């Protein structure tokens, strides 16, 4: 029997060693994370304020001065200027042909020839 034990498959021992190693590593990490190395978290002020923030808070707390709005003068007269007449672009035969090919026939004039 001694000879049979010497030639056994080591896969079981490798698996058992990996399992024990994983459990040991998890235990060490658990213990290390629960330890208080530097006195733990020391709560400080909720926020760190600067002198500029303090000055802004004091200025916001003061009531704003109310200035009397000047009365508006008479409204300026309304001048209506007719819009200038729009010039129609000249459409040559090539432009009309390109527009028709692009499906923009409603924008072309019908009196121009399209080759």
């Amino acid at each position: 029997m001694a000879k049979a034990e010497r030639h056994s498959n080591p896969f079981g021992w490798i698996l058992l060693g990996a399992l024990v190693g994983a459990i040991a590593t998890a235990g060490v990490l658990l213990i290390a994370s629960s330890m208080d190395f530097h006195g733990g978290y020391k709560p400080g002020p909720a926020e760190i304020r600067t002198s500029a923030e303090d000055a802004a808070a004091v200025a916001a707390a003061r009531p704003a001065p109310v200035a009397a709005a000047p009365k508006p003068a008479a409204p300026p007269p309304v001048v209506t200027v007719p819009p200038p007449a729009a010039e129609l672009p000249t459409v040559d035969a090539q432009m009309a042909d390109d527009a028709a090919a692009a499906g923009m026939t409603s924008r072309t004039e019908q009196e121009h020839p399209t080759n």
Side-chain angles (χ1 to χ4, degrees):
M1 248 208 222
K3 191 174 185 181
E5 289 180 13
R6 276 188 257 151
H7 296 289
S8 66
N9 190 359
F11 180 71
W13 289 109
I14 292 172
L15 185 63
L16 182 64
L19 186 62
V20 169
I23 292 172
T25 303
V28 168
L29 290 175
L30 181 67
I31 291 170
S33 66
S34 66
M35 294 179 82
D36 188 11
F37 289 112
H38 300 290
Y41 175 74
K42 293 184 171 104
E47 61 181 305
I48 299 173
R49 296 184 59 88
T50 62
S51 59
E53 291 172 333
D54 292 337
V58 169
R62 271 190 254 142
V66 179
K71 292 189 177 186
V78 178
V79 178
T80 57
V81 178
E87 295 182 21
L88 295 176
T90 57
V91 178
D92 62 353
Q94 182 63 42
M95 285 177 62
D97 191 34
D98 291 343
M104 299 186 331
T105 55
S106 62
R107 295 185 183 184
T108 62
E109 295 178 15
Q110 299 298 327
E111 60 204 42
H112 295 289
T114 58
N115 288 344

